[in-house]
Amino acid sequence: MEKNLNQLLKWSIEAQAAAAAGQSHGPDGTSTSSSNDGPTPGAGAVATSPAPEVTAPGPRPIDPEVLASLFGGPSEADLMKAAIEVITDPSPEVTLENRLIAFDNFEQLIENLDNANLIEKLSLWSPLLSVLEHEEEEMRFFAAWCVGTAVQNNEKTQERLLAMGGVPKLVALAMKEGETEKVRRKATYALSSAVRNYQPAMDVAAEEMHKLGHEVLVGNGTTKVDAADMDKVDEVIDWLRSKAKAA
């Protein structure tokens, strides 16, 4: 907010300087010069040429985000909630295109670490994870993408994903027979972000793979994959990618 107030103050100072030079300006920087053509010739008056107009540079337009912040525009938390509402709206009137646009907006918002941490506070984990099972391929793809973005290099969101049952969902999607390569690879990306440097998630992922009959990845269910060992984690992730490509 302090930054926004400073920008507004700068605009005010520039506007006052322009006004002193005979111009007025709006928040968008548009100038309106007052006319100064001298006295209107009348009886006994000598007509004179209009004085040359002197214009001062107007103030720079105010950033719309600054105005929104100062005067009650939607916050990024509001935008996140609105995006998820569109994504999960059961109404057939909401087109797939609009849902994907909302997903794209949501993904860009949660690239910010603070916004990613807001997913829990706003109770958005459950609706987001539910889309991993959506009937539309593009919806499953974007859901996995957003999960991966949210948990990348973020232990707090890794913990919440695990607590909300997201890791088994990702393993199931990454290894699902009949699923498209595109979705399986994006689920693998999300799983990679979820388990790196977070042992509890790595253990659950290994256990889920074991349940699906892929003991080779976890030493027949007896050997843990060290989540801090990037080479070992890469072996698991590369194997999942190869399975997705062969699908």
Side-chain angles (χ1 to χ4, degrees), residues 139-239:
M139 294 289 284
R140 298 192 300 276
F141 173 83
F142 268 94
W145 189 356
C146 286
V147 171
T149 298
V151 301
Q152 194 168 45
N153 301 316
N154 188 339
E155 185 172 340
K156 183 176 181 180
T157 51
Q158 286 175 314
E159 184 276 327
R160 292 319 304 161
L161 173 67
L162 180 61
M164 295 298 295
V167 173
K169 289 179 181 289
L170 291 174
V171 172
L173 191 59
M175 300 180 67
K176 184 178 180 181
E177 295 293 335
E179 182 57 88
T180 64
E181 177 185 353
K182 175 180 177 178
V183 172
R184 290 180 68 168
R185 288 180 67 87
K186 193 57 72 172
T188 300
Y189 152 74
L191 194 60
S192 175
S193 297
V195 304
R196 290 184 187 275
N197 290 310
Y198 190 59
Q199 194 62 50
M202 184 71 253
D203 291 345
V204 170
E207 181 181 351
E208 292 300 313
M209 292 178 197
H210 177 66
K211 289 178 182 178
L212 293 173
H214 297 279
E215 296 86 359
V216 66
L217 294 177
V218 290
N220 293 322
T222 61
T223 303
K224 286 186 177 182
V225 176
D226 185 353
D229 186 336
M230 294 300 101
D231 289 337
K232 292 297 183 183
V233 174
D234 283 343
E235 288 181 15
V236 175
I237 298 304
D238 288 344
W239 184 88

Side-chain angles (χ1 to χ4, degrees), residues 32-219:
T32 305
S33 300
S34 58
S35 176
N36 184 23
D37 294 338
T40 302
V46 179
T48 60
S49 299
E53 184 176 334
V54 178
T55 60
R60 290 165 295 181
I62 302 179
D63 187 335
E65 292 186 5
V66 174
L67 291 174
S69 173
L70 290 169
F71 301 111
S75 66
E76 293 193 342
D78 293 332
L79 294 174
M80 290 169 61
K81 290 190 292 184
I84 290 294
E85 286 174 4
V86 172
I87 290 165
T88 58
D89 190 331
S91 172
E93 295 180 1
V94 182
T95 65
L96 175 61
E97 180 182 6
N98 287 339
R99 294 180 197 275
L100 298 182
I101 290 172
F103 249 138
D104 188 49
N105 292 337
F106 184 77
E107 196 276 334
Q108 291 183 55
L109 285 166
I110 62 174
E111 286 178 353
N112 178 287
L113 186 69
D114 292 334
N115 287 343
N117 291 334
L118 277 177
I119 297 176
E120 176 191 5
K121 183 177 181 181
L122 300 175
S123 300
L124 301 181
W125 272 117
S126 183
L128 175 59
L129 292 175
S130 71
V131 188
L132 291 172
E133 300 172 347
H134 199 279
E135 61 183 8
E136 289 283 351
E137 173 195 13
E138 288 294 322
M139 294 289 284
R140 298 192 300 276
F141 173 83
F142 268 94
W145 189 356
C146 286
V147 171
T149 298
V151 301
Q152 194 168 45
N153 301 316
N154 188 339
E155 185 172 340
K156 183 176 181 180
T157 51
Q158 286 175 314
E159 184 276 327
R160 292 319 304 161
L161 173 67
L162 180 61
M164 295 298 295
V167 173
K169 289 179 181 289
L170 291 174
V171 172
L173 191 59
M175 300 180 67
K176 184 178 180 181
E177 295 293 335
E179 182 57 88
T180 64
E181 177 185 353
K182 175 180 177 178
V183 172
R184 290 180 68 168
R185 288 180 67 87
K186 193 57 72 172
T188 300
Y189 152 74
L191 194 60
S192 175
S193 297
V195 304
R196 290 184 187 275
N197 290 310
Y198 190 59
Q199 194 62 50
M202 184 71 253
D203 291 345
V204 170
E207 181 181 351
E208 292 300 313
M209 292 178 197
H210 177 66
K211 289 178 182 178
L212 293 173
H214 297 279
E215 296 86 359
V216 66
L217 294 177
V218 290

